[in-house]
Amino acid sequence: TINRDVQYMVEKRLQEGVEQYDAYSGSVIVMDPFTGDIIAMANFPTFNPLNFNEEVEESTSTHRLNINRTNDAISSTYEPGSVMKAITVATAVDLKKVSPRTTFEDNGPVNYSGYVIDNWDKKHHGTQTIVELLQKSNNIGAAWVGHLVGRSKIYEYFKNFGLSERTQIGLEGEETARLRDVKEWTDIDLANISFGQGVSATPLQVLNSFNVIANGGELIRPRIITKFEENGKEIEIPVKKIRRVISTDSAQTMTEILEKAVEGGESRYFNIENYNISGKTGTAQIFIDGKYDAKSTNATFVGFLTNSKKFSMIVKLEKPRASTYASETAVPVWMAIADDLVKYYSIAPDK
């Protein structure tokens, strides 16, 4: 399923992004959200498969060793952070617990199980809507939605979105997403999981969960082979629809909410012109030595073109130093690749 032209564009933009934002490493995946086809999958640093036994040498830059033989896009799990707020809200929308206009109160830090939850920027905004929750990436709002839904349903939906299992893509070394048994959850666990801490997944698993929203509500198995030959006979690998996760109406509502999140959110300064995009940033502090390190983050942006849905894409940068925020690192890389792709596919502008 790999498109070599798109693969080339993605590898070029990813290397530029890792170097520009002084990241330890980076991964990008481009998919067809309706078939699960992997259009491009890239990691940087990487290695030359024609010279697999080349010695590993220390890089002179700040990113990891200049030869990396791991496919981080499927083999490295991480806490995605705020991108998971979209899954929490999608759960609440599907259960008719909230609508885009539902409001909550953000008047200061909130206590769960003796622990304090605060917003990433320590700012508070009073009465907010669900749309504003995603625009401002509001932790207090996401925790409120999670508790409104309840731990059993959050657990059920996260599992249904594929966030507790391998995708079964058929590539060597795929890691399993990790979601602790709901019986172990306390109130603070539910709050944390609702905004993307305490759950881990690979970039592929995160992107595939967003494909559910893009394609109208179904989890589809990622596919990298469409057919193979056996005994001189071609055998097709069909599109595999695993299960319906949310309703078509819920998927459409979430697409609209995520479009507004991009329009009015942190990424708006880098958005490509004339195209509507539905997506979500995630700036996740990395757990080091028993605590989250504010200076060490994984930066993610995941989304798709609102109207054409020709492709979905995730960009993940590990420990960017130029800025710790996804809106200033992963987003520009995503938008640069998207700009290449709308030209490549001749996708008509929305406005």
Side-chain angles (χ1 to χ4, degrees), residues 73-205:
I74 67 166
S75 297
S76 296
T77 61
Y78 73 112
E79 292 186 343
S82 294
V83 294
M84 290 295 98
K85 290 170 183 169
I87 306 303
T88 299
V89 171
T91 300
V93 166
D94 197 56
L95 292 170
K96 297 182 168 49
K97 296 283 188 179
V98 302
S99 73
R101 294 179 295 279
T102 298
T103 60
F104 65 95
E105 297 301 319
D106 172 21
N107 296 318
V110 180
N111 188 296
Y112 292 100
S113 307
Y115 295 88
V116 174
I117 293 294
D118 203 355
N119 293 326
W120 63 274
D121 57 2
K122 310 299 183 185
K123 295 179 181 178
H124 302 281
H125 309 279
T127 303
Q128 295 284 285
T129 66
I130 295 299
V131 169
E132 289 169 323
L133 184 163
L134 293 181
Q135 285 180 335
K136 295 184 175 70
S137 204
N138 192 294
N139 290 345
I140 289 169
W144 177 83
V145 172
H147 277 268
L148 180 68
V149 170
R151 68 191 68 182
S152 63
K153 283 298 182 182
I154 288 289
Y155 180 74
E156 176 188 332
Y157 271 78
F158 270 51
K159 285 190 69 175
N160 285 341
F161 270 98
L163 295 168
S164 67
E165 60 191 8
R166 292 183 177 90
T167 67
Q168 305 296 330
I169 188 176
L171 290 175
E172 185 73 21
E174 184 183 16
E175 269 291 342
T176 303
R178 293 181 175 89
L179 183 65
R180 284 173 37 232
D181 192 296
V182 68
K183 295 174 184 176
E184 302 175 5
W185 294 14
T186 62
D187 286 349
I188 187 62
D189 292 322
L190 175 56
N192 284 337
I193 288 167
S194 297
F195 55 77
Q197 290 182 347
V199 56
S200 63
T202 66
L204 176 60
Q205 289 151 0

Side-chain angles (χ1 to χ4, degrees), residues 10-18 26-28 42-44 317:
V10 165
E11 289 185 6
K12 181 173 181 292
R13 292 292 190 183
L14 176 58
Q15 179 173 349
E16 291 171 354
V18 168
S27 298
V28 176
N43 304 286
F44 186 82
L317 298 179

Side-chain angles (χ1 to χ4, degrees), residues 280-314:
K280 184 70 187 76
T281 54
T283 300
Q285 295 176 0
I286 297 174
F287 200 72
I288 300 174
D289 296 331
K291 62 181 181 179
Y292 286 99
D293 183 355
K295 296 181 180 179
S296 186
T297 64
N298 286 311
T300 305
F301 186 74
V302 56
F304 52 91
L305 299 181
T306 303
N307 295 322
S308 83
K309 300 182 178 69
K310 177 69 176 177
F311 61 85
S312 61
M313 175 167 49
I314 186 170

Side-chain angles (χ1 to χ4, degrees), residues 220-348:
I220 296 175
R221 180 171 294 162
R223 183 175 69 167
I224 203 158
I225 299 293
T226 56
K227 61 184 176 182
F228 65 94
E229 190 175 290
E230 186 174 70
N231 299 324
K233 187 176 181 180
E234 281 192 352
I235 298 175
E236 300 280 342
I237 305 293
V239 173
K240 174 64 175 177
K241 295 181 179 179
I242 299 171
R243 56 181 166 264
R244 175 159 290 280
V245 181
I246 58 177
S247 71
T248 303
D249 287 345
S250 296
Q252 180 58 38
T253 298
M254 279 308 303
T255 297
E256 294 166 2
I257 291 175
L258 290 171
E259 179 186 1
K260 291 182 173 67
V262 173
E263 280 181 356
E266 306 151 312
S267 72
R268 64 187 180 276
Y269 303 109
F270 298 99
N271 295 349
I272 57 176
E273 294 183 359
N274 302 321
Y275 291 89
N276 298 322
I277 294 164
S278 296
K280 184 70 187 76
T281 54
T283 300
Q285 295 176 0
I286 297 174
F287 200 72
I288 300 174
D289 296 331
K291 62 181 181 179
Y292 286 99
D293 183 355
K295 296 181 180 179
S296 186
T297 64
N298 286 311
T300 305
F301 186 74
V302 56
F304 52 91
L305 299 181
T306 303
N307 295 322
S308 83
K309 300 182 178 69
K310 177 69 176 177
F311 61 85
S312 61
M313 175 167 49
I314 186 170
V315 171
K316 179 227 172 183
L317 298 179
E318 181 184 10
K319 300 178 185 176
R321 293 189 181 184
S323 169
T324 57
Y325 298 115
S327 59
E328 298 174 351
T329 55
V331 168
V333 177
W334 196 101
M335 296 297 172
I337 298 171
D339 191 47
D340 290 340
L341 294 183
V342 296
K343 294 169 183 173
Y344 176 78
Y345 286 118
S346 299
I347 299 172

